[in-house]
Amino acid sequence: MKVLVPVKRVVDYNVKVRVKSDGTGVDIANVKMSMNPFDEIAVEEAVRLKEKGAVTEVIAVSCGVTQCQETLRTAMAIGADRAILVETDAELQPLAVAKLLKALVEKEGPSLVILGKQAIDDDCNQTGQMLAALTGMPQGTFASKVEVAGDKVNVTREVDGGLETVSLSLPAVVTTDLRLNEPRYVTLPNIMKAKKKQLDIVKPADLGVDVAPRIKTLKVSEPPKRGAGVKVPDVATLVNKLKTEAKVI
């Protein structure tokens, strides 16, 4: 059984992002980049399934610039067997990524695609759902538990009322939530081993996919700074301010 795990290179979650002076986007020059945390959870889950004997091969995939190779090497250090980079300098939006992944699914024929529910840079939460729609595969989103049982995968997901478990026929698409697992610490020996693992590079044109953006970003701006709070002497004054100044009641 083969598992495909898409991973994205994003600004590290510890870094405070800065907006470019011209408002065209986020400044990523000289900024630490790392693997999207949700995708890291997806890689960890795929590797755990392999360690249980339910999976035979884990393939990490990334779409983007040449530097995405570093992200793929991290995935292989966690335990992925090989990697594929769809190299392009174009701005990749969720639909374009889903189309690229669809082409790779058709080429590789995985039984399961596990990816993070969203990326922490754009927070779109769309790629997994779009991939399921394009391929016609069943989907289990926001997974907090994944169990492979024969030709099915049982996905426990968090919903408003508690937990819901869905049974999906393979092949299927699963998107991971934060509570699914805690990714392992990557050791130096595994980092060295990852350098020798296979990493293939293809172009979007090789897959027959048009990645031209469908959405145009008009402006990016920082949220307004919060004003200072005020102290009130009693409840009556608080209620009065909420009515007359804040106008929320």
Side-chain angles (χ1 to χ4, degrees):
M1 179 174 162
K2 196 184 289 185
V3 177
L4 199 70
V5 187
V7 296
K8 186 176 183 181
R9 178 177 180 262
V10 299
V11 175
D12 190 87
Y13 67 91
N14 287 312
V15 174
K16 186 182 185 305
V17 295
R18 300 187 306 274
V19 175
K20 291 180 180 177
S21 57
D22 57 2
T24 57
V26 173
D27 186 6
I28 58 172
N30 301 315
V31 171
K32 182 185 177 184
M33 307 291 282
S34 61
M35 187 190 301
N36 178 45
F38 289 102
D39 296 340
E40 198 172 357
I41 291 168
V43 177
E44 174 67 27
E45 190 63 23
V47 173
R48 289 188 185 188
L49 289 173
K50 184 185 175 186
E51 290 171 346
K52 290 176 183 176
V55 170
T56 54
E57 185 180 28
V58 178
I59 308 165
V61 178
S62 192
C63 306
V65 295
T66 306
Q67 290 88 336
C68 289
Q69 291 185 42
E70 300 168 12
T71 309
L72 290 170
R73 293 291 179 195
T74 301
M76 289 190 285
I78 294 173
D81 298 292
R82 59 187 174 94
I84 302 171
L85 170 62
V86 183
E87 190 177 44
T88 177
D89 292 326
E91 177 198 349
L92 291 175
Q93 295 174 350
L95 180 59
V97 176
K99 287 180 176 178
L100 291 170
L101 294 176
K102 175 181 180 282
L104 289 172
V105 165
E106 292 173 349
K107 181 181 177 184
E108 295 289 341
S111 298
L112 192 59
V113 181
I114 306 179
L115 64 163
K117 70 171 185 177
Q118 65 195 75
I120 62 171
D121 52 1
D122 54 22
D123 269 339
C124 283
N125 182 13
Q126 295 175 337
T127 307
Q129 292 88 329
M130 287 179 170
L131 176 61
L134 290 172
T135 57
M137 292 195 286
Q139 60 179 312
T141 55
F142 317 130
S144 58
K145 188 177 181 181
V146 176
E147 293 177 312
V148 176
D151 61 347
K152 293 187 180 295
V153 57
N154 297 323
V155 178
T156 301
R157 53 194 303 271
E158 297 183 4
V159 294
D160 291 341
L163 297 176
E164 174 186 69
T165 301
V166 293
S167 181
L168 312 175
S169 299
L170 297 175
V173 175
V174 175
T175 70
T176 63
D177 211 340
L178 278 176
R179 279 169 282 279
L180 179 58
N181 63 51
E182 186 174 340
R184 69 194 67 190
Y185 178 76
V186 180
T187 62
L188 183 58
N190 286 337
I191 292 173
M192 300 306 292
K193 288 177 185 175
K195 292 182 179 180
K196 298 178 181 178
K197 290 183 179 180
Q198 179 182 344
L199 195 161
D200 299 320
I201 299 176
V202 297
K203 302 286 185 183
D206 300 333
L207 301 172
V209 177
D210 175 19
V211 296
R214 264 60 175 180
I215 301 171
K216 182 180 179 182
T217 301
L218 300 179
K219 185 181 179 183
V220 177
S221 59
E222 289 191 21
K225 292 182 179 178
R226 289 183 62 180
V230 295
K231 288 184 178 181
V232 293
D234 51 45
V235 174
T237 309
L238 172 62
V239 172
N240 182 55
K241 283 184 175 291
L242 289 174
K243 279 184 178 179
T244 58
E245 295 180 20
K247 299 187 186 311
V248 294
I249 57 173

